[in-house]
Structures are given as C-alpha cells and as structure tokens.
Amino acid sequence: MAYRGDAGRKGGMTMGKALPLLLVAGAGMLAISAVKGAKRAQAMQTAERTRVNRSAGPVRAAGPESMEFPPDRWDIVDEQSDQSFPASDPPGTY
C-alpha cells in the first residue's frame, strides 16, 4: 500500500481548505492589534493632556474638574481618596 499523505484521508483538511481559514485568522489578529494600538494612543493622549507636572509621569491634578469624565456625584470621601492616590492608606473619613 502506497502512502498518500493527509490529502487522501476522508475529512482531512488540505492546504487548499486551510489557507482561507489561516488568512481570516491572520486578518482578525491584525484588526485586534490595530484596535488595541488605537486605544493605547488615545489613552496616552489623555494622560498627556491631564498631567500636572510633565516631567513626573502621567499624574493629573486631584478633583473632578481635572477628570475627562467626572462622576455625577462627588463627596468628601471621594475628594480625600482622589487627593491621597496612590497612597496605600484610605482617607480618614472612610
């Protein structure tokens, strides 16, 4: 009996059948990568726009007026928590 390879099997995937699937998967991965890159660029633009000290890294001023999307409600606990960030201790009124 001669060896015919995978192409002779019933139900086997040949290169002609696999190539379109590989092309679609590759195109999907490129699209996902492009979306992630666009989101990263947008986040960097927002960080650059809201930074207080340009040489200190991505830090913004405390308070809802410095936020791109401020919350509807803002109380004293929110204010103290925002001012203490990134400290590990919660605010005293917590």
Side-chain angles (χ1 to χ4, degrees):
M1 181 188 224
Y3 177 73
R4 294 189 292 173
D6 289 338
R9 291 187 189 172
K10 275 190 167 178
M13 180 153 303
T14 63
M15 189 60 162
K17 291 180 183 177
L19 187 59
L21 293 175
L22 291 173
L23 289 174
V24 168
M29 290 183 70
L30 285 174
I32 290 171
S33 177
V35 168
K36 284 184 178 180
K39 285 184 179 180
R40 185 177 300 118
Q42 184 180 7
M44 291 302 291
Q45 287 175 348
T46 300
E48 183 67 30
R49 188 178 64 248
T50 59
R51 284 193 335 195
V52 175
N53 185 355
R54 303 255 185 252
S55 64
V59 179
R60 67 164 177 82
E65 60 277 349
S66 299
M67 295 179 180
E68 186 172 0
F69 302 108
D72 294 333
R73 293 182 25 202
W74 189 260
D75 62 10
I76 188 70
V77 175
D78 294 326
E79 183 72 26
Q80 289 181 349
S81 177
D82 193 44
Q83 289 177 354
S84 69
F85 186 80
S88 59
D89 296 334
T93 59
Y94 197 39

